[in-house]
């Protein structure tokens, strides 16, 4: 299986993801510059974290117009997989591939921490290695990670079981105190209705080796790879 990782001016987590896909999983991996348009050789596209185009205007607002994003729309329409992490999640919402928006954190501060998350769905390739409502721990690092959606969009997300991850306490309770950035309904990650696009603010690639202080993120990549191999 081949992974493609987008690289925008200002991306800074692309190599971190490549360390997981190429180094740990030993899978072919291609770094894809934002002006490229041919991504047809890739089974999975990762839109990584960072500060694409300096986060000018809004996070992801300029990146959505990059030439490679039109190719991403075609990639998704074919049922292929996309993982957007942090700035990548912001880009996916700006481009309309995922619903809602990411806005300034509740307390208007940049947050760099490790937080517990509750897995709401484990029937997706991304989450199949987790248990339903399992609590995992992943790092976060963002200033505009507060997920927002209007009432109708939120109802649509809940009705279609598109909320994949929520911020929780260490035993899985969904509380305001466990919400680091003010995200509505403690939402940390969502998928599209088809389940082949996942956007999340936490960084699984930063929790894929013991030397980094945790390995809960590794299972996300392993599950995705396993799902792809089964369906190949």
């Amino acid at each position: 299986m081949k992974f493609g990782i987008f690289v925008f001016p200002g991306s800074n987590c692309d190599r971190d993801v490549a360390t997981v896909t190429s180094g740990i999983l030993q899978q072919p991996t291609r770094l894809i510059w934002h002006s490229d348009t041919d991504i047809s050789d890739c089974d999975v596209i990762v839109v990584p974290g960072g500060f694409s185009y300096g986060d000018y205007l809004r996070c992801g607002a300029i990146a959505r117009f990059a030439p490679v994003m039109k190719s991403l729309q075609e990639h998704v329409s074919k049922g292929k997989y996309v993982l957007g992490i942090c700035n990548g999640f912001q880009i996916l919402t700006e481009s309309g591939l995922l619903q809602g928006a990411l806005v300034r954190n509740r307390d208007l501060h940049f947050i760099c921490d490790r937080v517990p998350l509750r897995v709401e769905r484990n029937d997706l390739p991304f989450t199949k290695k987790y248990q339903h409502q399992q609590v995992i721990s992943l790092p976060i690092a963002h200033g505009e990670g507060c997920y927002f959606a209007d009432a109708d969009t939120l109802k649509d997300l809940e009705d279609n079981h598109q909320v994949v991850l929520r911020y929780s306490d260490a035993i899985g309770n969904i509380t305001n105190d466990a919400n680091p950035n003010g995200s509505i309904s403690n939402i940390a990650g969502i998928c599209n209705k088809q389940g082949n696009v996942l956007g999340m603010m936490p960084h699984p690639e930063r929790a894929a080796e013991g030397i980094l202080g945790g390995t809960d993120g590794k299972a996300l990549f392993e599950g995705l790879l396993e799902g792809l191999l089964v369906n190949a």
Side-chain angles (χ1 to χ4, degrees):
M1 297 296 106
K2 189 169 186 177
F3 287 82
I5 304 169
F6 284 179
V7 183
F8 300 97
S11 295
N12 65 9
C13 298
D14 42 309
R15 269 68 178 180
D16 296 357
V17 175
T19 296
V20 178
T21 60
S22 178
I24 297 174
L25 298 184
Q26 297 289 298
Q27 297 301 306
T29 299
R30 177 161 74 98
L31 295 175
I32 301 169
W33 190 234
H34 65 111
S35 59
D36 291 345
T37 55
D38 185 3
I39 60 173
S40 59
D41 60 323
C42 297
D43 301 289
V44 181
I45 294 294
V46 181
V47 189
F51 304 91
S52 58
Y53 298 95
D55 279 351
Y56 289 111
L57 300 182
R58 287 187 313 277
C59 298
I62 298 177
R64 64 168 290 197
F65 294 108
V68 77
M69 292 303 295
K70 182 177 180 182
S71 301
L72 188 65
Q73 297 275 357
E74 296 169 358
H75 176 94
V76 171
S77 70
K78 294 176 182 177
K80 293 185 175 183
Y81 290 95
V82 177
L83 172 62
I85 302 169
C86 199
N87 188 222
F89 186 11
Q90 295 162 339
I91 293 169
L92 293 179
T93 59
E94 288 286 341
S95 65
L97 285 169
L98 290 175
Q99 297 161 276
L102 283 307
V103 300
R104 292 290 300 277
N105 293 342
R106 174 184 52 214
D107 299 325
L108 306 181
H109 296 303
F110 187 91
I111 302 171
C112 184
D113 204 351
R114 186 178 291 270
V115 299
L117 304 158
R118 194 175 78 184
V119 179
E120 301 291 80
R121 286 186 63 174
N122 70 334
D123 61 337
L124 301 171
F126 305 97
T127 56
K128 63 181 296 181
K129 302 287 279 188
Y130 301 116
Q131 298 298 313
H132 180 238
Q133 296 202 335
Q134 179 181 345
V135 177
I136 63 174
S137 177
L138 295 179
I140 57 171
H142 55 252
E144 297 183 31
C146 176
Y147 182 79
F148 176 80
D150 62 32
D152 289 341
T153 300
L154 182 61
K155 183 178 186 302
D156 194 45
L157 290 171
E158 298 286 6
D159 288 348
N160 290 294
H161 307 289
Q162 290 173 249
V163 179
V164 179
L165 298 167
R166 294 188 204 268
Y167 300 109
S168 73
D169 65 17
I171 57 174
N173 295 314
I174 306 301
T175 67
N176 188 58
D177 287 342
N179 190 334
N181 53 31
S183 290
I184 193 167
S185 295
N186 285 50
I187 292 174
I190 63 170
C191 66
N192 63 346
K193 290 180 181 178
Q194 293 73 30
N196 63 322
V197 180
L198 172 66
M200 56 190 294
M201 287 310 297
H203 286 266
E205 80 283 10
R206 297 184 185 179
E209 295 182 274
I211 195 172
L212 299 177
T215 58
D216 284 353
K218 184 181 178 183
L220 186 146
F221 293 98
E222 290 176 330
L224 182 55
L225 176 59
E226 184 178 299
L228 289 168
L229 292 172
V230 168
N231 295 325

